[in-house]
Amino acid sequence: MKRTHSEASIYEVSSSSTSPHVGDYKGGTKGLKGNEYDVFLSFRGEDTRKGFTDYLYTSLDEKGIRVFRDDNELRVGEKIGPELLCSITQSTISIPIISENYVSSKWCLRELVQLLECKRSKEQIVLPIFYKVEPSQVRHPTGRLREAIDAHKKNMEETVVKEWEEALKEVSSLKGWESEKIDNGHEGALVKIVVTKVLSKLKGTFQLIVPQQLVGIDDCIEHIMSSIDAKFNGTWIIGIYGMGGIGKTTLAKALYNQFFGQFDHHSFVADCREAYQRDQREGIKSLQKQLISSVGGPCDVSNVDEGIRLIKSRFAHKKALIFLDDIDNSAHLKYLVDRNWCKVGSIIIITTRNKDVLDQASANHTYQLNELSFDQSLILFSRHAFQKDYPPSDYEDISHDVVSTTGGLPLAIEVIGSFLCRKREDVWKGTLKKLKKVPHEKVQEKLKISYGALGYREQQIFLDIACLSLEQYATYMWDDCDFYPGMGIEVLSLMSLIKIHKFGSLSMHDQLKNLGREIVYLENPREPQERSRLWIYEEALDVLDNCKGTGKIEALSLGKYDEGRTYAAKKFKNMTKLRFLQVDGANFTGDFQSLLPELRWLQWNRCPSDFVAVNFHPKKLVVLDLSDSAISEHWEGWDPLKKATELKVLNLHGCLSLKRTPDLSTFTRLEVLNLASCSNLKELHPSIEILASLVELKLSYSKITKLPESIGNLQNLRILDINGTGITELPDAIGTLTKLQQWDVSGCDNLEGLPSNICKLISLEELSLLYCEKLQELPELPCGLTVLYITCQGQSLPNLSQLTRLNRLHLNRCRRLECVPELPIELLVLSIYRCGELKAFTNLSDLKKLRHVSISKSSSLEGSPDVSMQMRELGFKESEDIFGGLIFER
């Protein structure tokens, strides 16, 4: 089956009906024409109207099954009228309830003939119930049934009666139910069996509508299904989350359909967020009514507490499949479901943009739906634009360009593909040009829902990331502006508006980035200076060059390399709210006295070696980025910038003229000092020892050969990077940095040893000793390590089994190492590269969690049949990697 990730709103799903099923089921009332029904009941009223038939009708109706029951006693005339004929012919299932007096009714017999004709001509399903009569009595009528047939012969044409007799014989041969043989005649049991059978036959009809042009969803379903433990003695809550338009609802519908046949009770409540927003006063009660009525018929809910009571009573003894679509608030969820309200074995599926909803619900399994790959995107786009899986050759290039603008977002792909279907080439080109700047209107409308749900501070962070492409250092600016980034970033991440990567870097989907930029653009489409953020170079330059700056502008980015250009102080005179300024290669001139009072971030890349501005004192500065600049430690800008006593980040990456760090004594609150790739830097100024707040120190690829003993004063240091330096030895003070979490020593090819006390680094999680070619032995290592990279020239390694948290171990160029020592039992990944003398492992059989082993350029191991045999015995599958080595996985 072909499936896609599209959101339900594309398919005009209705949530306003009193029935939770309306519009989303394949046989729902939305598609009804005239008298179209799921089930047609044919019965003799005097026998069963107020008893069995009424009970069966009510039970079917409570399941959302559309039932027609013909009160044939009210019929007049000799022929079946067009309305009744339509009801029979357009029903999926007919159930004749053949009772003792059924045969005496001419109308019942006419209906029977007609529904059997529909069985033959339309493959209609006929499920007869023999109510207090036996099939043999119907096949060969005796007693009162015979008398009824004989009575008809006196009043009707012989051919008609003969047809009725043939119909009775035919129906008696069909598989149905005898009421007296089901649970000793208990009619409730029979009704339950019939309802279950009808639901089974109508499974396709009552499953949710899922689009036809689907791509990539089967793997998602398989992943979720594989996580479900059939032996689990409780209620499963499955949560699907992701950004708007990513396809959460479609995936959940497909999953719902997968589970459908395993349950007698089903409930689908569509567009919960929209229903609540439409009427916040009655919204929760409306959702409660939908949920309750789906398993027990219509109900009235006077208040939310009563709704909870009714939900508990209706679901307590029912194994149910429940799907709540688009829940945006965990507070709302507590009025709708709780795992303890449902019978064991129930499954609750929840879709949301906010992962916190699922965390609050203690979901058993959460699944984040991500973007489609480019290849999947192209297939989905082609299905909508060309009705096939690939574009025609003359549209191939432009199709690739259009798909690239969507960022793998299914909603955007479908909307744009459908719009461009059968359009002229000039429309394609115009659309592509627009999409590179602005999302499609329908896509933007969908994405804007999430933005609108944010608070003011979260919106400011969102817009900064979208317009300025900021990453982790931005938290310092946001914190100083009272945007509370700790909470804000978490909210944005939970709502799938940003992604947080390793070491805290942030990223945003291109469609969301374009949305944020469009929001700012619409602040004032005609006058850029009246917008809060300017990031388009030409617009920002025009505002500066023509002194148009206003108090509206909070961020100004002049990202192009402007070598030789100068910006006079007067151009910034009216920008009293400017908190972010980015320039590249330019210089500042004039008197900045009392200017830039709110500036928190100055990104001055490639700034020149001369400093000509006067009174340049941005006192609120917290981030100063001077990377790739020509400045030295004697640069005249250091003195005026020393007044930025609140500075938290100083980025001097790639400043090739620096030979010694400047005096940093006034920056006592500094937390990040980046000196990476300062390839001529040889010395750290003594003021480094007073930076007690320093969290991150990067010295990689500098000419530093020695770290001062005073580095032990940096008791808050968490990240230390000395990768690629000429350091020959390390001070014992390193062992006192108890908060150190990441330490990169790789590429220190002059380093011969490590301090013996590094085992005291109790917070250290990641240590890289790659390419330390002169390292002869290792001391005892910190027990908290989770990732360890080793290059060591000794014949042995220290005991690694005590590293109880280690899950990744990489041995690289350990040329003299002969045996891998006992490994920790939590290990997941083991990589061995260029360890030519290594011949054996010690305790592989104990590593139950080990999933991946790679061996490359290590001849003794690669050529050993014993190793391959041992790995196969442990359940590993063997394959060859691209470098000719071996990979074992399980």
Side-chain angles (χ1 to χ4, degrees):
M1 185 185 295
K2 297 176 180 177
R3 295 187 170 105
T4 180
H5 284 50
S6 26
E7 286 281 308
S9 61
I10 303 174
Y11 314 107
E12 300 179 357
V13 175
S14 170
S15 62
S16 59
S17 168
T18 55
S19 169
H21 308 300
V22 172
D24 281 278
Y25 290 98
K26 295 176 183 176
T29 59
K30 199 170 187 180
L32 293 176
K33 301 173 184 175
N35 293 328
E36 183 178 288
Y37 293 89
D38 299 307
V39 174
F40 179 89
L41 293 182
S42 175
F43 63 98
R44 186 64 195 270
E46 65 182 60
D47 287 350
T48 65
R49 180 194 299 115
K50 295 181 179 179
F52 178 79
T53 296
D54 186 60
Y55 185 17
L56 177 59
Y57 173 86
T58 302
S59 299
L60 291 168
D61 183 64
E62 286 177 349
K63 295 295 183 184
I65 298 170
R66 189 170 171 84
V67 187
F68 183 93
R69 56 177 169 181
D70 178 30
D71 202 345
N72 51 66
E73 275 72 12
L74 301 178
R75 298 286 174 192
V76 294
E78 297 297 320
K79 295 183 179 180
I80 293 180
E83 180 184 354
L84 182 60
L85 180 63
C86 183
S87 300
I88 295 173
T89 58
Q90 292 191 6
S91 293
T92 306
I93 299 173
S94 285
I95 301 179
I97 303 170
I98 302 173
S99 57
E100 190 174 39
N101 291 305
Y102 186 91
V103 178
S104 64
S105 168
K106 291 181 288 186
W107 275 103
C108 285
L109 293 172
R110 289 178 183 129
E111 290 172 355
L112 184 63
V113 169
Q114 185 62 45
L115 62 88
L116 288 171
E117 173 59 31
C118 289
K119 177 180 181 294
R120 289 187 291 271
S121 62
K122 299 181 58 181
E123 298 185 350
Q124 186 182 93
I125 300 167
V126 178
L127 303 174
I129 296 173
F130 301 97
Y131 185 76
K132 296 185 179 180
V133 296
E134 297 178 4
S136 60
Q137 292 176 283
V138 177
R139 188 179 305 112
H140 304 291
T142 60
R144 293 182 66 177
L145 277 72
R146 182 75 260 170
E147 292 173 4
I149 292 291
D150 292 341
H152 290 317
K153 287 181 178 180
K154 295 177 182 179
N155 303 315
M156 303 295 295
E157 293 181 11
E158 183 177 348
T159 55
V160 173
V161 177
K162 182 68 174 175
E163 186 179 33
W164 292 350
E165 287 183 296
E166 291 299 322
L168 289 169
K169 287 181 182 179
E170 183 178 349
V171 77
S172 68
S173 67
L174 297 178
K175 188 174 182 180
W177 300 277
E178 295 181 52
S179 65
E180 296 304 296
K181 291 186 178 180
I182 303 296
D183 197 19
N184 294 320
H186 284 86
E187 295 179 4
L190 175 58
V191 167
K192 185 175 181 180
I193 291 171
V194 174
V195 171
T196 301
K197 186 70 172 180
V198 169
L199 282 171
S200 176
K201 294 293 184 182
L202 293 174
K203 178 181 177 182
T205 303
F206 275 81
Q207 287 185 334
L208 301 180
I209 299 171
V210 179
Q212 295 300 310
Q213 309 95 332
L214 295 166
V215 177
I217 208 170
D218 289 332
D219 290 341
C220 301
I221 292 177
E222 184 179 348
H223 176 85
I224 295 172
M225 296 292 287
S226 67
S227 71
I228 296 174
D229 183 1
K231 298 179 181 179
F232 178 70
N233 187 26
T235 294
W236 271 92
I237 297 180
I238 301 171
I240 299 172
Y241 69 101
M243 64 183 286
I246 203 69
K248 303 179 294 296
T249 299
T250 299
L251 173 58
K253 283 184 176 183
L255 190 64
Y256 180 96
N257 290 345
Q258 190 90 3
F259 287 124
F260 189 89
Q262 303 173 28
F263 295 85
D264 294 335
H265 305 281
H266 312 83
S267 180
F268 167 48
V269 185
D271 294 326
C272 297
R273 174 193 51 77
E274 184 180 322
Y276 176 77
Q277 289 184 347
R278 190 167 51 243
D279 186 350
Q280 294 189 12
R281 183 176 177 181
E282 297 293 322
I284 295 297
K285 289 194 293 181
S286 171
L287 296 173
Q288 288 178 325
K289 288 178 185 178
Q290 290 188 48
L291 188 59
I292 296 163
S293 62
S294 64
V295 296
C299 70
D300 186 35
V301 175
S302 58
N303 58 68
V304 293
D305 291 329
E306 182 186 21
I308 292 175
R309 182 182 59 78
L310 287 170
I311 292 170
K312 287 181 179 179
S313 64
R314 293 282 176 95
F315 285 91
H317 305 292
K318 292 180 173 68
K319 182 182 173 183
L321 174 63
I322 300 170
F323 174 13
L324 301 177
D325 178 41
D326 199 10
I327 296 286
D328 69 339
N329 192 319
S330 57
H332 300 163
L333 193 62
K334 69 180 182 181
Y335 296 114
L336 297 172
V337 291
D338 186 287
R339 67 175 72 252
N340 298 318
W341 299 353
C342 301
K343 185 178 179 180
V344 168
S346 295
I347 290 180
I348 301 168
I349 302 171
I350 300 169
T351 63
T352 181
R353 299 173 184 225
N354 188 351
K355 184 177 180 290
D356 186 53
V357 168
L358 306 178
D359 294 338
Q360 295 296 322
S362 300
N364 303 82
H365 179 79
T366 59
Y367 184 82
Q368 182 176 17
L369 199 52
N370 294 313
E371 303 86 352
L372 296 175
S373 68
F374 181 84
D375 290 342
Q376 290 174 323
S377 300
L378 186 60
I379 292 172
L380 181 59
F381 175 79
S382 299
R383 288 178 180 175
H384 285 273
F386 307 111
Q387 286 76 56
K388 55 184 179 180
D389 286 358
Y390 49 86
S393 57
D394 52 338
Y395 274 81
E396 188 171 347
D397 289 343
I398 195 168
S399 293
H400 281 222
D401 290 342
V402 170
V403 168
S404 296
T405 70
T406 68
L409 186 67
L411 174 66
I413 296 166
E414 293 188 7
V415 168
I416 297 165
S418 299
F419 171 74
L420 291 174
C421 183
R422 299 186 181 89
K423 293 292 194 304
R424 301 185 312 275
E425 185 179 0
D426 62 317
V427 176
W428 277 70
K429 291 180 178 179
T431 300
L432 174 60
K433 184 177 181 181
K434 181 179 178 181
L435 289 173
K436 288 182 176 180
K437 295 183 178 180
V438 185
H440 189 281
E441 289 80 0
K442 288 185 179 179
V443 179
Q444 183 174 312
E445 180 181 340
K446 189 75 174 177
L447 296 178
K448 204 168 182 178
I449 292 170
S450 296
Y451 174 80
L454 299 173
Y456 169 77
R457 292 177 175 86
E458 290 85 14
Q459 288 182 344
Q460 301 313 303
I461 294 174
F462 175 87
L463 295 177
D464 275 357
I465 297 172
C467 299
L468 308 172
S469 300
L470 300 181
E471 295 192 0
Q472 72 266 37
Y473 293 155
T475 57
Y476 292 100
M477 175 180 66
W478 294 327
D479 184 60
D480 206 60
C481 293
D482 292 330
F483 290 165
Y484 305 109
M487 182 183 299
I489 289 174
E490 182 180 9
V491 169
L492 293 175
S493 175
L494 288 171
M495 294 185 69
S496 302
L497 292 173
I498 61 171
K499 290 183 179 179
I500 304 174
H501 302 282
K502 193 175 182 181
F503 307 134
S505 63
L506 309 174
S507 67
M508 179 180 284
H509 192 281
D510 285 345
Q511 292 284 322
L512 289 167
K513 186 178 292 185
N514 290 340
L515 169 69
R517 294 182 173 191
E518 182 69 1
I519 289 170
V520 173
Y521 170 78
L522 292 175
E523 290 175 354
N524 196 314
R526 294 182 177 274
E527 303 292 342
Q529 66 271 18
E530 298 299 325
R531 301 178 203 148
S532 58
R533 297 158 179 85
L534 297 178
W535 65 92
I536 299 174
Y537 176 72
E538 291 75 15
E539 290 183 342
L541 190 61
D542 177 67
V543 168
L544 272 182
D545 282 352
N546 295 289
C547 298
K548 295 180 182 178
T550 69
K552 294 278 189 179
I553 302 172
E554 297 180 34
L556 185 69
S557 176
L558 292 146
K560 289 192 175 182
Y561 187 30
D562 279 349
E563 185 176 14
R565 180 180 285 273
T566 59
Y567 298 113
K570 64 180 181 180
K571 298 180 184 295
F572 298 92
K573 182 178 180 181
N574 295 321
M575 297 188 196
T576 55
K577 296 294 178 61
L578 193 70
R579 57 182 171 83
F580 175 95
L581 176 60
Q582 179 185 9
V583 296
D584 191 345
N587 210 340
F588 298 106
T589 63
D591 189 349
F592 279 79
Q593 182 70 43
S594 302
L595 298 185
L596 306 177
E598 298 296 320
L599 192 67
R600 265 76 169 194
W601 180 305
L602 175 58
Q603 187 167 342
W604 193 358
N605 304 127
R606 284 182 277 268
C607 79
S609 58
D610 61 324
F611 187 86
V612 294
V614 178
N615 295 318
F616 194 83
H617 306 309
K619 295 180 180 179
K620 290 188 177 182
L621 203 65
V622 291
V623 178
L624 177 59
D625 184 349
L626 300 171
S627 55
D628 301 315
S629 296
I631 62 174
S632 70
E633 62 270 30
H634 304 299
W635 182 53
E636 293 183 4
W638 290 121
D639 281 339
L641 286 171
K642 284 179 181 179
K643 298 201 174 180
T645 56
E646 301 295 317
L647 195 69
K648 300 289 182 64
V649 178
L650 178 57
N651 186 359
L652 300 173
H653 179 282
C655 291
L656 305 184
S657 297
L658 274 180
K659 295 181 180 179
R660 185 192 198 199
T661 57
D663 182 354
L664 304 172
S665 56
T666 60
F667 302 141
T668 56
R669 299 193 177 189
L670 197 66
E671 295 187 19
V672 176
L673 178 56
N674 187 349
L675 297 163
S677 298
C678 293
S679 56
N680 290 302
L681 183 70
K682 297 180 180 179
E683 185 181 352
L684 299 177
H685 189 277
S687 59
I688 191 83
E689 66 182 31
I690 68 169
L691 303 182
S693 297
L694 204 63
V695 171
E696 180 178 323
L697 176 59
K698 292 188 175 182
L699 298 167
S700 56
Y701 301 106
S702 66
K703 287 190 176 178
I704 294 289
T705 58
K706 185 178 181 180
L707 292 179
E709 195 71 33
S710 62
I711 198 169
N713 293 351
L714 310 183
Q715 286 297 301
N716 285 298
L717 200 64
R718 290 176 172 81
I719 299 173
L720 177 58
D721 184 355
I722 56 173
N723 173 25
T725 62
I727 288 176
T728 56
E729 61 177 337
L730 294 166
D732 288 340
I734 288 283
T736 67
L737 303 177
T738 55
K739 292 185 180 180
L740 194 64
Q741 297 172 352
Q742 299 166 26
W743 188 16
D744 190 351
V745 193
S746 55
C748 292
D749 47 19
N750 291 323
L751 187 65
E752 297 182 358
L754 298 174
S756 60
N757 63 350
I758 64 168
C759 60
K760 297 180 181 179
L761 299 177
I762 56 175
S763 300
L764 194 63
E765 297 177 355
E766 186 170 331
L767 173 61
S768 177
L769 299 168
L770 283 178
Y771 312 121
C772 294
E773 300 290 349
K774 291 186 179 180
L775 202 59
Q776 297 298 315
E777 61 178 344
L778 299 180
E780 181 183 347
L781 297 172
C783 61
L785 285 173
T786 60
V787 180
L788 177 59
Y789 298 84
I790 296 177
T791 298
C792 181
Q793 304 312 319
Q795 293 183 342
S796 63
L797 295 176
N799 178 20
L800 300 180
S801 63
Q802 47 92 21
L803 306 181
T804 55
R805 297 178 58 198
L806 193 70
N807 55 57
R808 300 180 68 92
L809 174 61
H810 299 261
L811 302 177
N812 189 304
R813 301 175 189 268
C814 299
R815 297 185 178 90
R816 298 177 60 201
L817 186 65
E818 297 179 354
C819 180
V820 175
E822 187 174 345
L823 297 172
I825 59 174
E826 294 295 314
L827 199 65
L828 300 175
V829 175
L830 173 61
S831 174
I832 299 171
Y833 180 75
R834 290 193 182 276
C835 298
E837 298 298 317
L838 193 58
K839 298 180 179 65
F841 302 102
T842 53
N843 65 329
L844 277 183
S845 59
D846 297 331
L847 308 183
K848 305 301 182 185
K849 296 185 179 182
L850 190 62
R851 290 291 176 265
H852 180 97
V853 177
S854 64
I855 304 172
S856 184
K857 307 295 183 183
S858 302
S859 54
S860 297
L861 282 177
E862 288 178 85
S864 171
D866 294 339
V867 171
S868 294
M869 183 180 297
Q870 183 183 8
M871 299 303 292
R872 286 195 294 270
E873 289 175 352
L874 293 174
F876 285 85
K877 293 182 180 179
E878 180 178 339
S879 61
E880 190 171 307
D881 71 8
I882 58 175
F883 301 108
L886 298 177
I887 293 178
F888 300 94
E889 291 185 310
R890 67 177 175 188

